[in-house]
Amino acid sequence: MQHQPVILIANGTQNMGSVCATDFSAQGATVILADLDVSRGPALAQELGPNVHHLMLDVTRQADWRRVIRQVITTYNRLDVLVNIPGINDQPRDWQDHTDAYSAYFERTQRRVVWGTTAAVAIMRHQFHGSIVNVLTAQPDAPDQQLITQLHDWTQTTIQGLRGTDVRVNTVQVHLNADQTHQDPDVARAKPLQQTIRYLATTTQTSHPNGHAFVIPTT
């Protein structure tokens, strides 16, 4: 990496968040782990080195997203990357019999993605650069396309408002089967998921992806 980018990872102490934090810090980035884990957060930051820090973030509160983004800008004067992992682990196993629960799951996930993206875009727009990677998990046979379609449409509208800047917003969708839903999916898929997130976060290619959804399959 060049210029030691500042990278904010929502739910950065959990599962894939900690994998990404380890990866980015090893490349020399300044990494902010943002979540509510006051025991693991500071300990993991200390373990990973002096360029890793922990901030309290409640991803379920829009005002908290704004507060944390402002704090990052005050401290580091910029935000280069947001890896937004909504941190929702209550996806219904049998969605056919729990459509109301799935609708609520869609709504919670969408709010967290939109709030995080909006808060980061407000800063990145004025920087004229930045990368946002929203990381979702889904069962391939469940009606998750509803959520993906809604977020894709919203993302396209957001990108239209960023014309003339080098701000990118992409989505990584991890497909799980029903048996994996209540396990730790990120460990099984850590390497391809980590590589995809790293590419989207740090690529400087002229034709870099923007507004795309990438799927990490179950096999």
Side-chain angles (χ1 to χ4, degrees), residues 154-165:
W154 180 83
T155 298
Q156 298 307 308
T157 301
T158 301
I159 290 171
Q160 290 296 316
L162 293 168
R163 285 185 174 178
T165 72

Side-chain angles (χ1 to χ4, degrees), residues 54-56 66-76:
H54 179 258
L55 289 178
M56 293 287 292
R66 294 169 178 165
R67 175 190 60 79
V68 166
I69 297 292
R70 287 196 301 266
Q71 191 170 349
V72 169
I73 296 303
T74 299
T75 304
Y76 305 100

Side-chain angles (χ1 to χ4, degrees), residues 15-16 19 174-176 180 183-193 216-219:
N15 302 333
M16 198 62 219
V19 172
V174 187
H175 271 179
L176 311 174
Q180 293 169 319
Q183 300 175 3
D184 180 355
D186 298 327
V187 172
R189 240 156 309 309
K191 188 172 183 179
L193 181 56
I216 305 298
T218 55
T219 56

Side-chain angles (χ1 to χ4, degrees), residues 4-216:
Q4 296 186 341
V6 176
I7 300 177
L8 174 65
I9 306 176
N11 283 302
T13 66
Q14 305 299 319
N15 302 333
M16 198 62 219
S18 63
V19 172
C20 290
T22 302
D23 182 32
F24 288 132
S25 64
Q27 299 177 63
T30 296
V31 178
I32 299 98
L33 312 172
D35 58 25
L36 292 175
D37 195 335
V38 294
S39 57
R40 177 164 169 75
L44 179 60
Q46 183 176 16
E47 175 186 333
L48 293 179
N51 58 327
V52 181
H53 312 277
H54 179 258
L55 289 178
M56 293 287 292
L57 169 63
D58 184 348
V59 296
T60 69
R61 296 173 61 87
Q62 186 176 18
D64 224 35
W65 273 106
R66 294 169 178 165
R67 175 190 60 79
V68 166
I69 297 292
R70 287 196 301 266
Q71 191 170 349
V72 169
I73 296 303
T74 299
T75 304
Y76 305 100
N77 202 36
R78 73 181 194 275
L79 174 63
D80 299 299
V81 176
L82 167 64
V83 178
N84 185 7
I85 306 173
I88 294 182
N89 299 316
D90 59 349
Q91 182 181 129
R93 178 188 292 268
D94 299 317
W95 59 267
Q96 294 94 337
D97 299 323
H98 299 86
T99 54
D100 289 343
Y102 239 103
S103 295
Y105 168 80
F106 289 156
E107 185 176 347
R108 288 193 299 276
T109 303
Q110 187 170 20
R111 280 200 303 267
R112 298 180 191 187
V113 170
V114 169
W115 288 346
T117 301
T118 301
V121 160
I123 297 301
M124 292 177 176
R125 175 184 286 111
H126 296 291
Q127 298 176 158
F128 292 94
H129 81 275
S131 177
I132 299 169
V133 185
N134 293 311
V135 183
L136 307 177
T137 58
Q139 298 178 40
D141 296 329
D144 295 283
Q145 192 59 41
Q146 173 186 342
L147 173 64
I148 297 301
T149 299
Q150 290 175 354
L151 287 176
H152 179 75
D153 292 344
W154 180 83
T155 298
Q156 298 307 308
T157 301
T158 301
I159 290 171
Q160 290 296 316
L162 293 168
R163 285 185 174 178
T165 72
D166 184 23
V167 179
R168 293 167 280 135
V169 185
N170 292 288
T171 301
V172 179
Q173 183 182 6
V174 187
H175 271 179
L176 311 174
N177 59 44
D179 293 334
Q180 293 169 319
T181 301
H182 296 283
Q183 300 175 3
D184 180 355
D186 298 327
V187 172
R189 240 156 309 309
K191 188 172 183 179
L193 181 56
Q194 171 190 351
Q195 291 173 337
T196 303
I197 293 172
R198 182 200 301 164
Y199 169 71
L200 293 174
T202 62
T203 181
T204 57
Q205 297 179 11
T206 304
S207 58
H208 50 229
N210 197 4
H212 295 287
F214 296 81
V215 175
I216 305 298

